[in-house]
Amino acid sequence: MATMENVIELVNRIQRACTVLGDHGGGDVAALWEALPSVAVVGGQSSGKSSVLESIVGRDFLPRGSGIVTRRPLVLQLHKTEDGVQEYAEFLHMPKRRFTDFALVRKEIQDETDRLTGKTKQISPVPIHLSIYSPHVVNLTLIDLPGLTKVAVEGQPESIVQDIESMVRSYVDKPNCLILAISPANQDIATSDAIKLARDVDPSGERTFGVLTKLDLMDKGTNALDVLEGRAYRLQHPWVGIVNRSQADINKNVDMIIARRKEQEFFDSSPEYSHLASRMGSEYLAKLLSQHLEAAIRSRIPSITSLINKTIDELESEMDHLGRPIASDAGAQLYLILELCRAFDKIFKEHLDGGRPGGDRIYGVFDNQLPSALRKLPFDRHLSVQNVKRVVSQADGYQPHLIAPEQGYRRLIESSLNYFRGPAEASVDAVHSVLKELVRISIGETQELKRFPSLQTELAAACYKALERFREDGRKTTLRLVDMESAYLTVEFFRKLPQEVDKTGTANPRTANPPAPGNPRTANPPPPSDDRYTDAHFRRIASNVSSYIGMVSETLKNTIPKSVVHCQVREAKRSLLNDFYTQVGGKDAKQLAVLLDEDPALMERRLQCFKRLELYKSARDEIDSVSWTR
């Protein structure tokens, strides 16, 4: 059976774990914190908030003074220990130090406030977290908030009134927050800042607990029965009266246990309040809050459990995405590297084969870039009449050709074929650039590799080195195709050209004029010429060469892509990582560990994710270990 103590202590532990993670825990930790019920202490300045908290704790530990004293929220977790155990306190920002002197606790609260706000009267919403372990407390979490005020004093900004109210509202607006509204009995309840704020955020009064302090300081002949009995302002929970220690008792350091006894004696002996004595005083208030906090926790356990289970599933998925911690032995490290390489290689091939975008750019090189480059080659200038005449004349030497300029044809064709080297090399380089880009993209898309920047760098370098080797092979093979066209001309092409007949009836088989490159069989012979050395004669030579070059261009337009794909694309698919596998296989454990050196940011992210996961699993186990039946 779940007792009140272990139910609230469970929530205390979960809240403390959430607090330890803090801002690094993520939104889910904040959501869990907000899902856990707590008690916020609200009141105007000098309403007696500090005295009420010290009475509940049974220790003097809060800073005192006039004006605004509490300038940061104080999240106070009370942990009940066994009788005889020494009381001590711990701050979250000083986790390794235990305070047994509560005067030092007070000083540390003040010092920690000053560290953030300076020695001024400024406020800050950043909370201080304090845990107190004592046999004289009940398990409870209280949040002490700065006192509400109506005017700014010297040293405070004009916005301080609204700033404090906004800070307080950020806590009490939450539906799981119980509101401990502190009001002094020697002031009209209608002017109570705490009640006014509580009525705004909790109009039904379901989660508001009214506390009336300073009952012993009321004018003689007056009492607070109208408030305590719910006639002046009704709440769903009974009002609780508190008698604070006098300033003289505080100055004399009167023991808090004695002060509690004197408080109870006040109610027992008072003619006005004796009939309410059983539900008055700080001890009763602590038990009342603890009971209602337990009830609030019980009512929210199903939703808290659902939130925890949902978040555990999400964190497990995130841990799978981030990757599990790396094994220390070389065999496991090598296996992991090879698995990562296979994952990358799979994505790279998907880009080439069309499963992912990018491989189509290679086809674009062959379908657009290469034909465009071939069309732009300067054959018009190279086969101009002047250049043809110059080349043919130089080829003839001192003795002009008799029938056909054989050497002139060969020189014109060979020099024309050299122009194809540029588009051929450009195609090789263009595909190389595409392959390099696909490697870069594939590494970025391999989620498993994101953990290891060093391995990414080494893998990319190895891939680029292999691609350079493939490019060199592709360049040699592709240029060899061009050189092969120069090495042996297609004689049959020229034999099929229409023959020109001169005025003597002698056939000239080499000087006909086909009209279009690549289509020699449809040529129409020009009228016979009396002079084979006229410009028309050289134009016919240029036209014949142009037709031959056109035929070669069509051939290369088909063979260059075959060469590039064979030497570069196919090899990239087949053996891109072969050398890298060989290198990795020869590394020892230390060298493999260097490759698996993770990104510090990702390591921190995984650590925080792991801590959050441990928190939620621990919370689930804690909840499962408690029977929630009465």
Side-chain angles (χ1 to χ4, degrees):
M1 180 179 295
T3 64
M4 177 169 60
E5 286 79 10
N6 59 24
V7 169
I8 299 175
E9 176 59 19
L10 164 62
V11 173
N12 275 357
R13 287 198 297 269
I14 297 175
Q15 285 177 327
R16 185 165 180 80
C18 289
T19 303
V20 169
L21 290 181
D23 294 336
H24 300 291
D28 51 87
V29 174
L32 177 58
W33 171 269
E34 292 186 6
L36 300 171
S38 57
V39 181
V41 185
V42 181
Q45 290 183 14
S46 303
S47 62
K49 286 193 304 90
S50 296
S51 294
V52 171
L53 287 171
E54 289 182 334
S55 295
I56 291 174
V57 174
R59 281 288 188 173
D60 291 319
F61 68 97
L62 293 173
R64 291 180 175 274
S66 59
I68 182 170
V69 177
T70 303
R71 294 186 284 122
R72 290 175 60 183
L74 175 68
V75 178
L76 175 63
Q77 288 188 322
L78 305 181
H79 305 265
K80 184 174 179 59
T81 60
E82 296 180 359
D83 291 339
V85 176
Q86 185 181 21
E87 297 173 289
Y88 68 92
E90 285 183 345
F91 288 94
L92 183 64
H93 63 273
M94 303 176 69
K96 296 183 179 180
R97 179 177 176 184
R98 289 188 175 184
F99 290 79
T100 55
D101 184 345
F102 281 81
L104 295 179
V105 173
R106 179 190 301 116
K107 182 177 184 302
E108 181 57 31
I109 293 174
Q110 184 63 58
D111 291 345
E112 178 63 12
T113 300
D114 291 343
R115 288 185 194 109
L116 195 62
T117 64
K119 295 182 179 297
T120 65
K121 296 181 180 181
Q122 303 290 329
I123 64 169
S124 170
V126 180
I128 298 172
H129 294 269
L130 172 65
S131 294
I132 294 179
Y133 300 81
S134 169
H136 306 301
V137 300
V138 294
N139 289 309
L140 194 60
T141 296
L142 298 164
I143 304 172
D144 185 24
L145 297 166
L148 299 165
T149 185
K150 292 183 174 62
V151 294
V153 299
E154 185 177 352
Q156 295 176 339
E158 290 298 324
S159 63
I160 188 100
V161 176
Q162 185 59 45
D163 292 343
I164 292 177
E165 182 173 338
S166 297
M167 183 193 304
V168 174
R169 282 182 180 272
S170 69
Y171 286 88
V172 300
D173 274 341
K174 299 169 185 174
N176 63 308
C177 179
L178 304 181
I179 305 168
L180 190 62
I182 310 292
S183 302
N186 56 358
Q187 293 181 12
D188 190 340
I189 196 67
T191 64
S192 169
D193 296 319
I195 292 298
K196 178 179 179 298
L197 181 62
R199 184 167 51 197
D200 288 345
V201 299
D202 179 34
S204 64
E206 292 181 0
R207 51 192 182 91
T208 301
F209 293 82
V211 176
L212 210 59
T213 62
K214 303 183 180 182
L215 289 169
D216 56 329
L217 300 182
M218 296 185 69
D219 293 338
K220 289 185 178 182
T222 62
N223 59 60
L225 287 176
D226 283 348
V227 176
L228 294 176
E229 293 178 347
R231 292 188 296 273
Y233 184 78
R234 180 174 293 277
L235 297 171
Q236 293 197 21
H237 306 291
W239 283 80
V240 178
I242 297 290
V243 175
N244 306 119
R245 287 181 301 161
S246 65
Q247 189 60 48
D249 289 341
I250 295 172
N251 294 339
K252 293 177 183 179
N253 292 320
V254 173
D255 185 84
M256 196 64 72
I257 304 302
I258 296 175
R260 286 180 179 175
R261 190 180 305 122
K262 290 174 65 175
E263 178 187 43
Q264 195 58 46
E265 289 174 357
F266 171 85
F267 289 111
D268 289 338
S269 61
S270 169
E272 294 91 353
Y273 307 121
S274 57
H275 65 293
L276 302 174
S278 62
R279 52 186 179 88
M280 295 288 123
S282 55
E283 282 192 88
Y284 173 79
L285 175 62
K287 292 177 182 178
L288 177 69
L289 291 175
S290 188
Q291 290 171 354
H292 281 277
L293 186 58
E294 180 201 10
I297 293 169
R298 287 180 181 276
S299 68
R300 288 170 174 77
I301 282 299
S303 61
I304 293 173
T305 303
S306 176
L307 170 63
I308 288 174
N309 288 331
K310 176 177 178 290
T311 309
I312 285 176
D313 291 341
E314 292 173 351
L315 291 173
E316 289 280 11
S317 177
E318 184 176 359
M319 284 296 291
D320 290 338
H321 176 71
L322 294 174
R324 301 293 174 171
I326 303 167
S328 57
D329 62 289
Q333 291 174 343
L334 179 59
Y335 178 79
L336 174 60
I337 291 174
L338 295 179
E339 284 295 303
L340 294 171
C341 290
R342 279 190 280 270
F344 154 76
D345 195 46
K346 178 176 180 291
I347 292 175
F348 178 71
K349 289 175 180 176
E350 287 176 356
H351 279 290
L352 289 178
D353 293 334
R356 296 172 185 251
D360 55 310
R361 292 169 53 195
I362 294 176
Y363 175 72
V365 172
F366 303 144
D367 193 50
N368 298 312
Q369 185 173 323
L370 175 60
S372 176
L374 292 175
R375 285 193 300 269
K376 292 178 181 178
L377 292 176
F379 291 126
D380 288 345
R381 183 174 69 251
H382 183 65
L383 296 178
S384 65
V385 172
Q386 293 81 359
N387 196 55
V388 170
K389 185 184 298 185
R390 179 183 62 80
V391 172
V392 170
S393 299
Q394 290 176 352
D396 285 344
Y398 72 92
Q399 188 174 16
H401 61 273
L402 300 177
I403 301 175
E406 174 81 12
Q407 293 303 318
Y409 266 103
R410 290 187 177 277
R411 289 192 182 185
L412 283 170
I413 292 172
E414 289 173 359
S415 58
S416 296
L417 291 175
N418 278 331
Y419 284 110
F420 288 116
R421 297 175 68 90
E425 288 190 285
S427 298
V428 170
D429 292 340
V431 171
H432 176 76
S433 297
V434 173
L435 292 173
K436 284 187 67 175
E437 179 66 10
L438 292 182
V439 165
R440 186 190 66 79
I441 293 173
S442 299
I443 289 176
E445 291 179 352
T446 307
Q447 294 298 324
E448 300 90 336
L449 277 174
K450 291 184 182 297
R451 299 171 56 185
F452 310 109
S454 296
L455 179 57
Q456 289 183 50
T457 302
E458 290 290 329
L459 183 61
C463 290
Y464 294 156
K465 184 176 180 181
L467 291 178
E468 285 290 346
R469 188 173 66 254
F470 302 153
R471 175 168 69 169
E472 184 60 23
D473 291 343
R475 189 184 69 82
K476 290 179 180 178
T477 302
T478 305
L479 292 180
R480 188 173 291 120
L481 289 177
V482 178
D483 293 342
M484 287 165 57
E485 294 291 340
S486 300
Y488 186 80
L489 304 183
T490 306
V491 178
E492 190 67 19
F493 175 88
F494 294 97
R495 288 176 178 171
K496 292 181 179 181
L497 289 176
Q499 295 181 345
E500 176 186 346
V501 181
D502 59 21
K503 63 181 180 180
T504 64
T506 304
N508 188 341
R510 301 291 189 266
T511 58
N513 180 30
N519 194 13
R521 298 183 182 180
T522 61
N524 295 318
S529 172
D530 293 337
D531 187 355
R532 62 169 61 99
Y533 299 108
T534 65
D535 285 352
H537 172 66
F538 291 110
R539 276 196 293 271
R540 284 193 294 274
I541 295 174
S543 180
N544 291 337
V545 172
S546 177
S547 295
Y548 185 81
I549 293 302
M551 180 190 71
V552 173
S553 178
E554 288 298 317
T555 300
L556 292 177
K557 189 166 68 174
N558 294 320
T559 56
I560 286 175
K562 295 178 185 295
S563 170
V564 171
V565 169
H566 177 79
C567 296
Q568 293 177 260
V569 180
R570 192 185 69 162
E571 285 302 307
K573 289 177 61 177
R574 188 175 65 178
S575 60
L576 180 65
L577 295 177
N578 284 2
D579 286 351
F580 185 68
Y581 288 149
T582 303
Q583 295 170 14
V584 170
K587 293 182 181 293
D588 56 26
K590 184 177 180 181
Q591 293 170 320
L592 293 175
V594 171
L595 284 180
L596 295 175
D597 184 22
E598 296 185 81
D599 181 354
L602 189 142
M603 293 175 65
E604 177 65 19
R605 182 181 170 194
R606 186 196 298 116
L607 177 62
Q608 295 304 329
C609 182
F610 177 76
K611 288 181 179 179
R612 285 151 56 197
L613 186 58
E614 289 298 302
L615 161 65
Y616 278 93
K617 287 183 175 179
S618 175
R620 182 176 62 184
D621 293 343
E622 293 276 8
I623 292 173
D624 290 343
S625 68
V626 175
S627 171
W628 297 101
T629 59
R630 289 187 178 277

